[in-house]
Amino acid sequence: MHLNPRPVPLALAIFLILAVPSTAWAQPPARDTPHIRVTGIAITSVKPDFLEWKVGVSDRADQSTQAKAENDRKIAALLALRDLLNIAPDDIEAGTVSVQRARKKNPLTNQWEDHGYRVTRTVVIRQRDLKQFDAFLSAFTSENHAVSMTPRVTAAAAIRRETELKALDHAKEKAAAWAHRLGAELAEPLQISRPGDSFDDYEHGSAFGDIEAGDANGAGYVPGDIRFVEEIEVVFALAPAEPVDSGGGRDE
């Protein structure tokens, strides 16, 4: 279920956070302090605007120099895709590299034996045009590379912060409703904490579908939503409700 609480003004959110002493983030309220503990949850769903590919290039040879030479050839071929797939220079990274002794199990002795060297590198490539999904996938699998793809959104940090504010606003609304039901008024926040880790949840789309009307091939990537889920627990102090002045009284 998607919760859409009204967004809390930034100034109010900052006040609520700064009004809590630094020790209150970790310290529970005193036992004799009337309080209420609530959890606010907010979910923001957005479509990804780019795909992050991780391409693993691994080669084995009897000599480490031979394995590296073959690995360098494949890495060069991947980097050459920049022009073919219109990849910006900042969107391709030749990342981690490892050189390890390769091992192979001898079927006769059932023992592991040295089997040369293995050189492995991981290339990270960001695809901005989602319509090129098939072209990227075909290029990366042409030499049997290990490939993984993760949908991403450029404004993830800003969306996560805004979702946190919505969760805080949701907690405050819940606490105010409970306080009213109890005949009390909501006072200052005593503690703000996270009952769990924030997380992003991807709702899978389809790997094939019509990207746009008139697409003759009809092949491409149709992304699902990325859901930013934030949960914040807040402890508010409770104060006695102000008496309601009915405006009545006796005439002197």
Side-chain angles (χ1 to χ4, degrees):
M1 178 178 65
H2 291 258
L3 301 174
N4 295 294
R6 295 188 302 274
V8 62
L10 181 59
L12 175 60
I14 294 175
F15 168 78
L16 287 173
I17 294 175
L18 296 182
V20 183
S22 59
T23 55
W25 286 82
Q27 298 295 330
R31 288 181 177 272
D32 57 351
T33 302
H35 63 273
I36 186 170
R37 185 187 304 270
V38 295
T39 299
I41 301 175
I43 301 173
T44 302
S45 296
V46 297
K47 293 291 185 184
D49 57 4
F50 74 96
L51 307 178
E52 183 180 84
W53 296 85
K54 291 186 178 180
V55 185
V57 182
S58 182
D59 292 282
R60 191 213 65 82
D62 292 338
Q63 300 297 323
S64 59
T65 53
Q66 296 172 336
K68 180 181 178 301
E70 180 61 15
N71 197 266
D72 288 345
R73 183 192 68 79
K74 294 179 180 178
I75 291 294
L78 277 176
L79 297 179
L81 295 174
R82 286 178 295 188
D83 294 334
L84 177 64
L85 299 175
N86 297 316
I87 303 171
D90 292 343
D91 284 337
I92 186 167
E93 303 170 8
T96 58
V97 58
S98 68
V99 180
Q100 297 180 329
R101 294 296 297 265
R103 305 277 287 175
K104 183 178 180 181
K105 199 169 189 179
N106 189 320
L108 298 178
T109 63
N110 202 33
Q111 298 294 318
W112 288 97
E113 300 175 351
D114 289 340
H115 191 56
Y117 294 84
R118 181 170 296 280
V119 176
T120 303
R121 296 186 70 173
T122 301
V123 178
V124 179
I125 298 175
R126 286 174 285 276
Q127 175 190 343
R128 302 292 177 177
D129 184 359
L130 302 189
K131 297 177 183 179
Q132 289 187 291
F133 174 82
D134 288 337
F136 272 70
L137 181 60
S138 297
F140 298 153
T141 56
S142 61
E143 293 203 41
N144 298 319
H145 298 314
V147 179
S148 66
M149 183 275 290
T150 304
R152 302 287 189 190
V153 59
T154 304
I159 294 172
R160 191 173 290 110
R161 287 193 297 268
E162 180 64 24
T163 307
E164 288 176 345
L165 295 180
K166 291 180 181 179
L168 181 62
D169 186 54
H170 182 227
K172 186 173 184 291
E173 289 184 359
K174 286 174 62 176
W178 277 102
H180 177 74
R181 183 65 62 90
L182 295 171
E185 288 188 352
L186 208 60
E188 72 277 1
L190 302 175
Q191 182 184 20
I192 301 176
S193 60
R194 291 182 180 277
D197 295 332
S198 303
F199 66 92
D200 304 341
D201 179 29
Y202 176 66
E203 297 176 344
H204 289 282
S206 171
F208 299 97
D210 291 333
I211 295 300
E212 58 186 8
D215 184 358
N217 296 324
Y221 176 72
V222 180
D225 287 342
I226 297 177
R227 301 192 314 149
F228 294 83
V229 182
E230 295 291 341
E231 185 176 359
I232 295 180
E233 185 177 82
V234 186
V235 178
F236 290 96
L238 294 177
E242 293 290 336
V244 179
D245 185 1
S246 63
R250 292 183 304 172
D251 294 332
E252 296 294 336

